[in-house]
Amino acid sequence: MRQAAQTSLVVVFVLAFLGTPVRAKVVEQLIAVIDGEPYTLSDFASYAKRKMSREFPSGDLKSVNPDDREVLEHFITDKLLEAEVREAGIKITAEDVDRYIAQIKTKNRLTDDDLKTALSREGHTLESYRASVKSELEKNEIIDREVRKRVNITDDDVARYYQLNAKNYRSDERAKLRHILLSLPRNASQEEAQSVMAKAHELYKRIQAGEDFAGLAREFSQGAGQTEGGDIGWVRRGTLIGGLEEVAFEKLSAGQVSEPFRTPMGVHLVKLEALDKGKPLPLATVAPKIKDELYAKILEERFAKWVKTDLRRKHRVDVKLPGVEFKAEDAKEGTVDALMARSTRVNRKEDRSLLSYLNPLSYITSETDEDTDPKSPLYGKKVVSVFGVPLFARENIEDVPDVLSPQPNPPAERESKDGQSGGFFSSILDSLNPFKR
């Protein structure tokens, strides 16, 4: 029966009724055979939806696109890890699962009812949640044995990296500013905009003629620091709204005042009182950060090598799609030396590091809208998702916006390409997360 499942791409239903033949109907397609076990289109589609929040296939399987190839890699790697867990005899007990869930509840101040409510919102029961936790703790254990325990970053590695990348370890660039804001709505008419801009130009002329910026700010500004003569103190690069940031850090010298310019908040005049370019940070201060960064990079590299070589060599994978192979490769042995001259500013989300994926006891959180059901224990509270499941609620207090703070960016599109969100192999580990929506 297994051989028939592996070689047949169609399931034929024959109904003998009154001698009338029924045409063959394609209801399933064989996608891959892993260690002799066949997996079909529905297996991959269910996995993609449950673990990766996407459809499979998203294109024509006769010409597999990158997104569908990624699903194939995730699914197959997940199955190989499950096989390694079985071979190693790793056992996660009910007590281990209880401890994990207890930590989730303690950290997020959840009652049993809160946990059940949060899980039910995502279509989980407590039983299915426990089963998922058990599975992921088992996979974490095999990755810990095969990868993490073999990674070691020495103090000498850290010191050498710092010497070659010292320019990346400086204190933040800061500017001491005074500021005049004349409010102007985004949807202001042309006449309103011209009137406000004319007023700003008049103030600029008075400043250029020698009038005190602080005095004019107290009299006319409608923004932060108005009562202090427009003084907003020291601000770090990267904390100001667009437009204001560029003027403060790139267009002015100490003592200069900008010409009027407009942002979504209104029309601005800015005086740069002082500029601090930042200073090199001593090794002792940044060593822990460097060690974490190097550890994450080496861990990523070692996991990739293990998956592409040792893990794949131990198992037989036959993908039944044209042009797709899943085979062991001769991955190059990376070293700390190879990482020495690279930038330390890793392009990944701060709350989604590789270390988090390898450690199911770390908590990856994101804030979502409050529950709208008045009967829910989460009603009226901001809901914080842990591993994609809303497990923590805090009181919904409206924050007062700072007119100088950057405007929130629109939600980013899903990152699925290699090299984003911490790397492709990090995303494989992410797919092992049972709570990823």
Side-chain angles (χ1 to χ4, degrees), residues 6 26 42 137 163 212 241 246 263 311 333 339 353:
Q6 293 175 7
V26 178
S42 60
L137 288 176
Q163 290 171 1
D212 181 42
I241 61 174
E246 292 78 9
T263 74
L311 186 62
E333 180 67 34
L339 298 172
S353 70

Side-chain angles (χ1 to χ4, degrees), residues 110 114-115 117-119 121-122 368 378 383-386 388-392 437:
L110 294 171
D114 291 340
L115 178 63
T117 298
L119 292 173
R121 287 164 57 100
E122 299 298 310
T368 61
L378 305 181
V383 179
V384 178
S385 294
V386 180
V389 177
L391 294 181
F392 165 73
R437 289 187 294 169

